[in-house]
């Protein structure tokens, strides 16, 4: 996993590399092991490297294949690269490196943009064609790897992180009114192509964008997720579905061991990460390092699940690292955590991932993590009511919308008043073919939209801030496709994730399964008190905040008077949402 950046000019001018050097420096943590720049005519590719696969200089980037006339900057990991390499060698291709980057180059030459359909993995890449001057941008099916871009006068820049484009300069950094509506209404999820800044967009997941040297561009969605049975599925029993899921999950975990460095596990003590540990042990992995973090309780709410992670670590004999964090340790780390956010992220566990990653990176460079299991296998509390509802949109919105449109208008400055874009987005997504039942509409929304721009982005940003690569086996696209075919009744059984729990009982101690659902809590950001409340008050009341004129003063006063009384349906602080946006803008000098 690394960081990529670059620029293409449409006006015949040479690229000034100065701003791109600034973009690269802004992503130094994504790739501390090497840096490079490639320039040809009106195109520049840049790269920051984290050595995971093929540690030699032969796989340094940007990688140029003069014989094929192609150059690439790539972020991610292609888990089936060895199988693809063998296939390409049989077609006559010769390789000079041993990693996955060169496989992408040769695959693109052999199969064109459709090569992405052959990749198992997480990826974002830019390929430059020498002869045509064409640039191709691509992103993996489930958006695990980010890719942002900004239109410039006479060109376009792109990077793995939004702040890198800000560092390069030349963009409109004013707040996008549509994105602000999403941010404050749709639980801070801002779907592609929008970002919170007017001048920056992000490539949607499962998308290939082809950019011609004259500036014309064409985007194609190469994968979509359809829910419902395939021919023959109706004959499958619950046991059959469990067996198929276990087989697919075993393969997903095995694929994510592909590395030339050790791979650890972020072990929360819940079902999902415990299953990963159990499956790795089943596959004979020894010396596995696992990592857990816990926070001090606030307001009577526990901040750790160490007793469960300890149980799994002891059962499977892992080398376990337990990281207890006192509340007063969090505040000094918050500015760095916010600075590591490519976009504002309100989930109060983001600081947990940041601090955990900083510690984990002292021991390993790659970890597997359990993100995605709840969305893919129906683990959240809002799915059961969606089973039989006659108002799918209203039922979903009642949980996932943080505030009504009327409250939104009473929160933001008058110039941001407008349509209820978030509600309209839910309506459009629910009307899209490929998911007929209300519960399947919700599962598809969460897997392909919410997951991308909340949990997955959070993990990518926070792990990369520590030069740590995170891999997510529950987002193996074949496993996701299998789960989408499965009857929702099986996924929602046993109070959610019924199939995973049935599998878990074969592999891990039942104590971590038969218990109330846990989270990755950070109570101090849910219940703003003391110095945390002071920090937010200062952020929303500063001269910079006043000059930005984003929020109405009367609403800010209401939230500041009693923060605990204003909690979203998904247990977030409404005051923290407003404060975080101001803090994020402050941290990035906007």
């Amino acid at each position: 996993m690394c960081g990529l950046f670059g620029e293409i000019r449409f006006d015949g001018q040479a690229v000034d590399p100065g701003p791109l050097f600034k973009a690269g420096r802004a992503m130094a943590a994504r790739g501390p092991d090497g840096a490079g720049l490639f320039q040809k005519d009106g195109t520049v590719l840049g790269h920051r490297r984290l050595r995971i696969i093929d540690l030699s200089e032969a796989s340094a980037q940007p990688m140029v294949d003069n014989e094929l006339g192609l150059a690439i900057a790539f972020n991610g990991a292609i888990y089936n690269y060895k199988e693809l390499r063998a296939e390409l060698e049989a077609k006559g291709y010769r390789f000079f490196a041993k990693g996955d980057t060169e496989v992408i180059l040769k695959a693109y030459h052999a199969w064109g943009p459709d090569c992405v359909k052959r990749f198992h993995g997480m990826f974002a890449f830019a390929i430059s064609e020498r002869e045509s001057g064409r640039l191709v941008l691509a992103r993996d099916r489930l958006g695990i790897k980010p890719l942002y871009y900004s239109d410039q006068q006479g060109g376009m820049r792109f990077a793995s992180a939004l702040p890198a484009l800000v560092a390069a300069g030349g963009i409109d950094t004013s707040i996008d009114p549509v994105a602000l509506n999403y941010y404050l209404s749709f639980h801070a999820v801002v779907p592609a192509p929008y970002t919170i800044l007017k001048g920056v967009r992000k490539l949607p997941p499962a998308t290939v964008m082809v950019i011609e040297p004259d500036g014309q561009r064409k985007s194609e969605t190469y994968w979509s997720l359809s829910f419902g049975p395939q021919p023959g599925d109706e004959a499958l029993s619950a046991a059959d579905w469990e067996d198929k899921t276990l087989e697919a999950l075993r393969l997903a975990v095995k694929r994510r061991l592909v590395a030339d460095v050790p791979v650890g596990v972020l072990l929360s003590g819940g079902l999902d990460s415990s299953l990963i540990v159990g499956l790795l042990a089943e596959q004979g992995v020894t010396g596995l390092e696992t990592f857990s973090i816990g926070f001090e309780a606030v307001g009577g709410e526990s901040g750790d699940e160490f007793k469960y992670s300890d149980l799994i670590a002891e059962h499977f004999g892992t080398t376990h690292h337990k990281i207890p964090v006192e509340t007063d340790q969090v505040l000094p780390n918050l500015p760095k955590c916010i600075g590591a956010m490519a976009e504002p992220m309100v989930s109060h566990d983001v600081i947990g991932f940041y601090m955990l990653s900083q510690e984990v990176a002292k021991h390993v460079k790659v970890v597997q993590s359990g993100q995605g299991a709840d969305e893919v296998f129906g683990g959240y509390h809002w799915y059961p009511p969606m089973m039989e509802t006659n108002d799918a949109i209203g039922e979903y919105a009642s949980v996932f919308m943080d505030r009504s449109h009327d409250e939104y208008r009473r929160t933001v400055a008058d110039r941001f008043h407008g349509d209820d874009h978030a509600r309209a987005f839910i309506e459009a997504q629910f009307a899209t073919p490929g998911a007929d039942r209300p519960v399947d509409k919700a599962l598809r929304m969460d897997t392909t939209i919410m997951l991308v721009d909340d949990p997955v982005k959070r993990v990518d940003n926070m792990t990369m801030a520590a030069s740590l690569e995170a891999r997510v086996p529950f987002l193996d696209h074949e496993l996701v496709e299998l789960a989408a075919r499965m009857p929702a009744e099986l996924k929602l059984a046993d109070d959610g994730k019924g199939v995973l729990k049935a599998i878990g009982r074969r592999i891990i101690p039942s104590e971590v399964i038969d218990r109330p659902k846990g989270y990755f809590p950070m109570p101090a950001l849910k219940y703003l008190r003391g110095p945390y409340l002071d920090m937010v008050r200062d952020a929303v009341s500063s001269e910079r905040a006043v000059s930005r004129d984003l929020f109405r003063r009367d609403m800010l006063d209401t939230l500041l008077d009693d923060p605990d009384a204003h909690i979203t349906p998904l247990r977030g602080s409404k005051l923290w949402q407003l404060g975080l946006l101001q803090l994020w803008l402050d941290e990035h000098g906007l």
Side-chain angles (χ1 to χ4, degrees):
M1 192 183 296
C2 311
L4 67 91
F5 56 96
E7 182 173 346
I8 181 172
R9 300 297 305 175
F10 310 135
D11 55 6
Q13 300 296 312
V15 176
D16 177 4
L20 295 178
F21 284 125
K22 295 179 182 178
R25 285 194 293 271
M27 295 190 295
R30 294 189 75 95
D33 298 334
L37 204 70
F38 164 80
Q39 185 163 6
K40 174 67 177 174
D41 299 327
T43 300
V44 169
L45 301 181
H47 193 260
R48 300 288 313 205
R49 186 181 184 195
L50 182 65
R51 298 174 195 253
I52 302 295
I53 296 175
D54 186 5
L55 309 184
S56 74
E57 284 302 309
S59 281
Q61 296 187 54
M63 180 179 284
V64 181
D65 190 319
N66 288 315
E67 184 177 322
L68 302 183
L70 298 173
I72 185 173
F74 158 57
N75 168 30
I78 306 300
Y79 305 126
N80 64 331
Y81 79 94
K82 292 182 180 178
E83 293 84 350
L84 290 172
R85 177 181 175 129
E87 187 176 351
L88 289 162
E89 285 176 331
K91 294 171 74 71
Y93 286 92
R94 297 173 295 175
F95 286 78
F96 52 80
K98 296 180 180 179
D100 51 351
T101 305
E102 188 183 6
V103 170
I104 298 175
L105 267 186
K106 261 69 171 184
Y108 177 80
H109 186 266
W111 301 303
D114 279 349
C115 65
V116 292
K117 299 176 181 178
R118 297 172 180 258
F119 298 155
H120 291 287
M122 53 183 187
F123 56 86
F125 61 77
I127 290 179
S128 174
E129 298 181 2
R130 181 182 62 207
E131 301 305 323
S132 70
R134 184 178 296 123
L135 180 74
V136 178
L137 304 179
R139 193 175 179 199
D140 66 69
R141 296 167 181 84
L142 288 155
I144 303 168
K145 294 288 92 200
L147 189 54
Y148 297 87
Y149 62 93
S150 64
D151 289 312
Q152 305 283 313
Q153 184 70 32
M156 186 180 83
R157 289 183 186 143
F158 51 91
S160 293
L162 183 154
L165 295 174
V166 172
I171 63 173
D172 182 352
T173 59
S174 60
I175 297 297
D176 187 297
V178 176
L180 184 63
N181 178 257
Y182 281 126
Y183 173 79
L184 291 177
S185 306
F186 196 35
H187 200 55
V189 172
V190 179
Y194 293 99
T195 78
I196 199 67
L197 302 184
K198 273 187 181 179
V200 181
R201 292 295 179 253
K202 55 196 173 197
L203 191 70
T207 299
V208 175
M209 179 187 286
V210 178
I211 303 133
E212 302 295 341
D214 63 359
Q216 294 187 62
R217 65 185 72 168
K218 179 176 67 175
S219 293
E220 179 184 349
T221 301
Y222 63 86
W223 180 85
S224 61
L225 185 60
S226 293
F227 281 73
Q230 293 184 359
D233 285 350
E234 64 277 359
L236 296 176
S237 66
D240 293 332
W241 283 111
E242 291 167 15
D243 291 342
K244 284 182 172 291
T245 302
L246 178 55
E247 179 183 6
L249 186 55
R250 278 181 175 137
L251 180 57
V253 170
K254 182 179 180 181
R255 281 173 173 156
R256 283 151 186 81
L257 287 174
V258 173
D260 293 324
V261 295
V263 178
V265 177
L266 301 183
L267 176 60
S268 68
L271 168 65
D272 313 326
S273 59
S274 299
L275 255 177
I276 294 172
V277 173
L279 290 172
L280 289 173
E282 180 187 83
Q283 294 178 22
V285 175
T286 58
L288 181 65
E289 295 201 63
T290 54
F291 305 85
S292 302
I293 193 169
F295 294 94
E296 185 179 357
V298 172
E301 182 170 342
S302 174
D304 74 70
E305 295 194 322
F306 283 148
K307 71 175 182 177
Y308 297 112
S309 56
D310 287 350
L311 188 152
I312 291 298
E314 183 177 351
H315 184 84
F316 292 106
T318 72
T319 301
H320 190 51
H321 306 263
K322 203 160 51 170
I323 307 162
V325 177
E326 299 297 321
T327 298
D328 61 6
Q329 294 177 264
V330 175
L331 194 63
N333 281 281
L334 264 177
K336 291 178 285 187
C337 172
I338 294 169
M341 297 177 183
E343 302 173 69
M345 303 178 197
V346 301
S347 295
H348 48 268
D349 60 359
V350 66
I351 183 64
F353 281 107
Y354 176 82
M355 297 181 72
L356 176 62
S357 299
Q358 295 294 316
E359 184 64 28
V360 172
K362 299 174 183 177
H363 304 274
V364 295
K365 295 179 77 169
V366 184
V367 289
Q368 294 198 30
S369 184
Q371 272 63 44
D374 285 297
E375 294 83 358
V376 173
F377 286 98
Y380 289 128
H381 65 83
W382 55 87
Y383 298 137
M386 299 292 296
M387 288 290 286
E388 304 298 338
T389 182
N390 293 318
D391 181 13
I393 294 168
E395 189 72 50
Y396 185 83
S398 71
V399 174
F400 220 84
M401 297 288 283
D402 286 340
R403 46 178 57 78
S404 69
H405 193 55
D406 178 65
E407 183 182 344
Y408 170 76
R409 289 170 60 88
R410 288 186 285 110
T411 301
V412 299
D414 289 352
R415 73 181 188 281
F416 293 112
H417 289 185
D419 294 338
D420 191 350
H421 300 285
R423 177 79 179 217
F425 180 80
I426 295 174
E427 292 172 354
Q429 288 294 313
F430 275 35
T432 302
D436 296 332
R437 303 175 67 186
V439 67
D440 287 337
K441 296 177 188 292
L443 287 163
R444 182 179 63 179
M445 172 79 88
D446 290 355
T447 300
T448 60
I449 303 294
M450 184 273 283
L451 183 62
V452 174
D453 275 294
D454 188 7
V456 166
K457 181 169 64 182
R458 187 187 328 150
V459 172
D460 171 83
N461 286 190
M462 296 305 108
T463 54
M464 280 279 81
S467 308
L468 177 69
E469 174 172 307
R471 298 175 172 184
V472 279
F474 287 102
L475 293 186
D476 183 283
H477 75 270
E478 290 181 345
L479 178 65
V480 171
E481 290 167 348
L482 176 68
R485 290 163 45 195
M486 186 186 306
E489 287 79 2
L490 297 179
K491 287 179 279 196
L492 272 60
D494 202 2
D495 294 323
K497 293 191 290 193
V499 170
L500 288 187
K501 289 176 180 176
I503 291 170
R505 291 188 179 94
R506 306 185 197 181
I507 297 167
I508 61 178
S510 61
E511 293 93 324
V512 303
I513 302 170
D514 300 316
R515 67 180 183 92
K517 179 176 174 59
Y519 293 88
F520 194 178
M522 207 291 113
L525 294 183
K526 177 181 174 183
Y527 303 105
L528 293 170
R529 294 169 186 173
Y532 297 90
L533 180 56
D534 293 340
M535 174 189 67
V536 172
R537 179 181 286 107
D538 290 345
V540 299
S541 305
S542 69
E543 289 185 12
R544 292 186 299 273
V546 171
S547 67
R548 291 180 190 124
D549 187 29
L550 301 180
F551 307 123
R552 292 175 59 93
R553 186 69 239 180
D554 55 349
M555 178 59 76
L556 289 171
D557 291 340
T558 297
L559 298 178
L560 286 165
D561 285 346
D562 190 0
D564 291 359
H566 302 279
I567 303 295
T568 71
L570 289 179
R571 309 192 308 172
S573 166
K574 292 183 178 182
L575 177 59
W576 176 240
Q577 290 176 325
L578 309 191
L580 175 65
L581 179 54
Q582 299 285 12
L583 289 164
W584 184 85
L585 292 168
D586 288 346
E587 196 64 31
H588 294 290
L590 299 172

